[in-house]
Amino acid sequence: MASTSVSRTVAASPERVWSLIGGFDALPDWLPYIPESTPSEGGRVRRLSNAGGETIVERLVGFNEAERHYSYAIVRAPFPVSGYVSTIRVHPVPGRDDVAEVQWSGRFAPDGVTDDEAVALFTGIYADGLDALGKTLAA
C-alpha cells in the first residue's frame, strides 16, 4: 500500500471549515473540479462528475462530527489504484480560533503504475483541493 497526506492552514475557524466541507455530498461547494455530486443510499454514497465528464463513485466508511473528520472509499473511478481509502480532517490550531488546519490523506494500492506515480497523483489532487478550499473560504 502507498499513502500520502497534504495539510493546509486556512483562514477560518474549525467550525466554519467543517460546516463547509463536513457534508459528504458537499464537494461541489468548495472543489471547482467536482461540479456535481449526487447522493444515494441515504447519503452514504456519492456519485461525482468531474470537469472532464468522468464519473467517480465513493462510499462513506467513517464519520465523526465531534472530531470533524470523515473517511471514504472509492467504489469506481478512472484512477490507477485499488483499495483506496481517504480521510479529510479539520483540526483546531492551538491558541487560534480564526484558523484551522485541514488534512487530506489517503492510502491505496497502485494498479499499473508505480507507487511514486500514484502518490504524486493523489498528492496533487489533495494539494489542489485544499488550495481551492482556502480560496473558497477567503471569498
Side-chain angles (χ1 to χ4, degrees):
M1 292 294 268
S3 65
T4 187
S5 181
V6 175
S7 294
R8 294 283 189 272
T9 299
V10 295
S13 70
E15 294 81 10
R16 180 169 173 233
V17 176
W18 184 246
S19 72
L20 178 60
I21 73 171
F24 187 55
D25 196 39
L27 287 180
D29 297 339
W30 60 274
L31 200 57
Y33 55 83
I34 300 292
E36 185 179 338
S37 178
T38 305
S40 63
E41 296 185 29
R44 298 204 45 93
V45 172
R46 62 186 179 193
R47 179 185 172 96
L48 308 170
S49 297
N50 68 17
E54 297 171 309
T55 298
I56 303 160
V57 179
E58 298 172 335
R59 175 175 298 280
L60 185 66
V61 296
F63 184 87
N64 188 310
E65 180 77 26
E67 294 181 10
R68 298 185 193 102
H69 63 83
Y70 70 80
S71 297
Y72 62 94
I74 288 179
V75 175
R76 187 177 76 240
F79 303 127
V81 298
S82 61
Y84 176 99
V85 177
S86 182
T87 300
I88 295 179
R89 297 178 182 273
V90 178
H91 299 283
V93 174
R96 300 283 305 266
D97 59 3
D98 60 336
V99 296
E101 179 189 7
V102 183
Q103 178 187 37
W104 197 349
S105 60
R107 64 183 191 280
F108 37 83
D111 185 6
V113 297
T114 67
D115 282 11
D116 289 344
E117 289 169 323
V119 166
L121 171 67
F122 287 104
T123 299
I125 288 171
Y126 300 165
D128 290 348
L130 294 180
D131 290 345
L133 173 63
K135 289 176 186 170
T136 298
L137 289 164

PDB file of all heavy atoms in Angstrom, residues 43 90 95 121:
ATOM      1  N   GLY A  43     -27.371   8.998   1.534  1.00  0.00           N
ATOM      2  CA  GLY A  43     -26.240   9.910   1.671  1.00  0.00           C
ATOM      3  C   GLY A  43     -24.912   9.224   1.950  1.00  0.00           C
ATOM      4  O   GLY A  43     -23.895   9.890   2.116  1.00  0.00           O
ATOM      5  N   VAL A  90     -10.460  18.177   9.980  1.00  0.00           N
ATOM      6  CA  VAL A  90     -10.301  19.588  10.322  1.00  0.00           C
ATOM      7  C   VAL A  90      -9.801  19.642  11.756  1.00  0.00           C
ATOM      8  O   VAL A  90     -10.454  19.116  12.663  1.00  0.00           O
ATOM      9  CB  VAL A  90     -11.622  20.363  10.188  1.00  0.00           C
ATOM     10  CG1 VAL A  90     -11.427  21.820  10.594  1.00  0.00           C
ATOM     11  CG2 VAL A  90     -12.173  20.261   8.771  1.00  0.00           C
ATOM     12  N   GLY A  95      -4.342  27.917  20.324  1.00  0.00           N
ATOM     13  CA  GLY A  95      -4.228  29.340  20.581  1.00  0.00           C
ATOM     14  C   GLY A  95      -4.881  30.236  19.546  1.00  0.00           C
ATOM     15  O   GLY A  95      -4.806  31.460  19.655  1.00  0.00           O
ATOM     16  N   LEU A 121      -0.006  11.530  -8.021  1.00  0.00           N
ATOM     17  CA  LEU A 121      -1.359  11.828  -8.483  1.00  0.00           C
ATOM     18  C   LEU A 121      -2.221  12.339  -7.331  1.00  0.00           C
ATOM     19  O   LEU A 121      -2.821  13.415  -7.419  1.00  0.00           O
ATOM     20  CB  LEU A 121      -1.993  10.577  -9.105  1.00  0.00           C
ATOM     21  CG  LEU A 121      -3.487  10.691  -9.428  1.00  0.00           C
ATOM     22  CD1 LEU A 121      -3.728  11.696 -10.546  1.00  0.00           C
ATOM     23  CD2 LEU A 121      -4.052   9.323  -9.795  1.00  0.00           C
TER      24      LEU A 121
END
